[in-house]
Amino acid sequence: EKVIFNGSITERSQLNIDIEDRGYQFGDGVYEVIRVYNRSLFTGEEHLQRLIDSAESIQIKIPYTIAEMKNLLLKLIEENNLFLGIIYLQITRGVSQRTHLFPSADVEPSFVAYTRELQSPTEAMEKGVTAITVEDIRWLRCDIKSLNLLPNLLAKQKASEAGCFEALQHRNGIVTEGSSSNVSIVVDGKIKTHPATNLILNGITRQVIVDICLKNGLEIIEEEFSVDEMLQADEIFLSGTTTEIMPIIEIDKQKIEKGEPGPVTKKLQALFNEEIKKQCGF
Ligand code: PLP
C-alpha cells in the first residue's frame, strides 16, 4: 500500500512519523477527506482549497499548490488501484521539540495522505438513520477542519452507545451540525441549514447541495433553527463526504413525521447522484 509523505509517494511500511510531530502531540494541524468515485476525485479542488484555507487559519503554509496536490492524489489512486473509496489528507506544523510555541520558520510541515476502499452507505441512505441530540461543547472556530476532534468523538461515541448513527449538536438550543456531518431540515418543502459561520464546518457536500437546489428550483435558506423546530420538521437529513445525503428518521427516540425518508431528501439524493455522475462518470 502506497501513501503520500511530504510531496512524494512511498510505501506505508516505510513511513516514520516522529513522536514529536505536532499533530501527534497537540493535534496541531488540519485535514481533509475526499471521496473517490470511479477513480476520480469528487469536488477535489474544493476540498484542497478548504485544506489550504484551514491551514492558513492556523498559520500553516502548505508548500504545494492545488495542482501539485491533485496530481499526487491521482497518482496515489492509480498506484493503490482505488476505484471507490476515500483519501485522507493531513498537514501538521511539523516536528520540533515539544513546546506550546510554534517552531522556528525553517521547520517544514508534515504532509501525509492515504487511501481507503469505501462503499457508499446505500442501505442507510435508503432506510434512514437515527440520531441523538447533544450539547455542542466545541470551540468557536468549528469552520476550521482541525485535527482536534475530541468533542466530536465523544458525541459520536454517545450516539453509538444509544444505538444511533449520529449525534446532532446544539448550542444554546440552536442546532449546529452532526459530529462529522452537516444537518438540514425540510419544512413545507423548504430546506433550512445553519449558515456557514464560525460555529460549523462549511461542508463541501453542504455547498454542493445549496448549488443543486439553486439550479433545480428547490428553496434552501441558510438560517439557524432550534432543536424544537428540528423535531417538528417534515424531513431531516445529514450531509457529508462519507455520509453523502442521509435521511434521519428518528431523534432521541422520537419519530420524525412518519419515521421514513421524505420526498425532498430522496429528490436531493437523486440529484446528488447525478452530480457524481457528471463529475466522475459513475
Ligand atoms: N461537519 C463536520 C464536523 C465534519 O467533520 C464534516 C465532515 O466530515 C462535515 C460537517 C461535512 O463536511 P463535508 O461535506 O465537506 O465532508
Side-chain angles (χ1 to χ4, degrees):
E1 185 195 355
K2 296 286 201 320
V3 299
I4 295 170
F5 182 60
N6 290 349
S8 50
I9 294 185
T10 51
E11 277 294 335
R12 181 173 178 162
S13 57
Q14 297 297 303
L15 211 60
N16 279 312
I17 303 291
D18 197 278
I19 52 171
E20 283 190 309
D21 189 289
R22 297 189 53 106
Y24 182 61
Q25 290 192 321
F26 296 118
D28 186 5
V30 294
Y31 76 104
E32 274 300 327
V33 180
I34 308 179
R35 261 281 181 190
V36 173
Y37 300 102
N38 194 25
R39 304 180 203 280
S40 309
L41 299 173
F42 180 65
T43 55
E45 298 206 352
E46 289 84 346
H47 280 279
L48 293 171
Q49 184 61 54
R50 187 173 66 185
L51 184 71
I52 290 171
D53 295 343
S54 288
E56 201 172 293
S57 306
I58 62 166
Q59 297 169 53
I60 291 177
K61 170 116 184 53
I62 300 186
Y64 317 103
T65 63
I66 289 186
E68 283 166 347
M69 286 191 278
K70 207 171 163 186
N71 279 338
L72 269 174
L73 295 182
L74 291 174
K75 224 181 270 169
L76 185 69
I77 289 171
E78 199 180 300
E79 294 261 1
N80 285 344
N81 196 19
L82 182 71
F83 179 73
L84 183 62
I86 52 165
I87 301 185
Y88 177 88
L89 301 91
Q90 79 167 41
I91 184 148
T92 77
R93 207 177 302 278
V95 178
S96 71
Q97 192 177 66
R98 187 183 182 283
T99 165
H100 286 40
L101 287 171
F102 290 179
S104 58
D106 60 326
V107 173
E108 292 277 318
S110 312
F111 179 73
V112 298
Y114 65 93
T115 62
R116 180 152 67 85
E117 282 184 32
L118 187 72
Q119 305 288 316
S120 290
T122 39
E123 198 185 322
M125 286 195 293
E126 269 169 39
K127 288 189 180 156
V129 294
T130 59
I132 57 167
T133 55
V134 297
E135 198 186 330
D136 192 338
I137 60 166
R138 298 174 303 163
W139 69 333
L140 297 174
R141 288 305 306 273
C142 298
D143 54 316
I144 302 172
K145 205 163 166 63
S146 141
L147 293 176
N148 287 270
L149 290 174
L150 202 41
N152 308 56
L153 309 188
L154 293 173
K156 182 80 173 184
Q157 183 64 24
K158 192 170 177 194
S160 175
E161 284 168 14
C164 295
F165 176 78
E166 182 58 302
L168 305 174
Q169 304 176 93
H170 54 84
R171 210 186 271 274
N172 305 319
I174 300 295
V175 178
T176 51
E177 60 183 334
S179 72
S180 58
S181 58
N182 292 113
V183 58
S184 306
I185 62 173
V186 184
V187 179
D188 297 330
K190 287 182 211 151
I191 303 158
K192 227 190 223 193
T193 196
H194 195 289
T197 65
N198 60 311
L199 298 183
I200 67 159
L201 182 77
N202 186 6
I204 304 298
T205 318
R206 176 190 176 284
Q207 295 172 47
V208 170
I209 290 169
V210 170
D211 228 50
I212 284 176
C213 287
L214 294 178
K215 278 189 198 136
N216 291 276
L218 292 168
E219 197 173 338
I220 185 159
I221 31 177
E222 299 183 56
E223 198 178 279
E224 291 179 350
F225 54 87
S226 67
V227 174
D228 286 341
E229 210 178 332
M230 176 172 74
L231 294 175
Q232 299 304 316
D234 302 323
E235 300 176 38
I236 306 170
F237 62 86
L238 301 171
S239 63
T241 294
T242 53
T243 315
E244 302 193 6
I245 297 176
M246 183 80 77
I248 295 184
I249 55 171
E250 194 183 290
I251 296 179
D252 294 337
K253 299 251 173 338
Q254 197 177 315
K255 266 188 192 168
I256 303 307
E257 263 300 293
K258 296 192 198 98
E260 54 189 49
V264 176
T265 307
K266 285 188 194 165
K267 169 96 186 159
L268 275 176
Q269 286 177 325
L271 290 168
F272 189 72
N273 282 338
E274 276 177 33
E275 189 60 36
I276 294 172
K277 212 173 280 173
K278 216 186 287 170
Q279 277 195 35
C280 304
F282 176 60

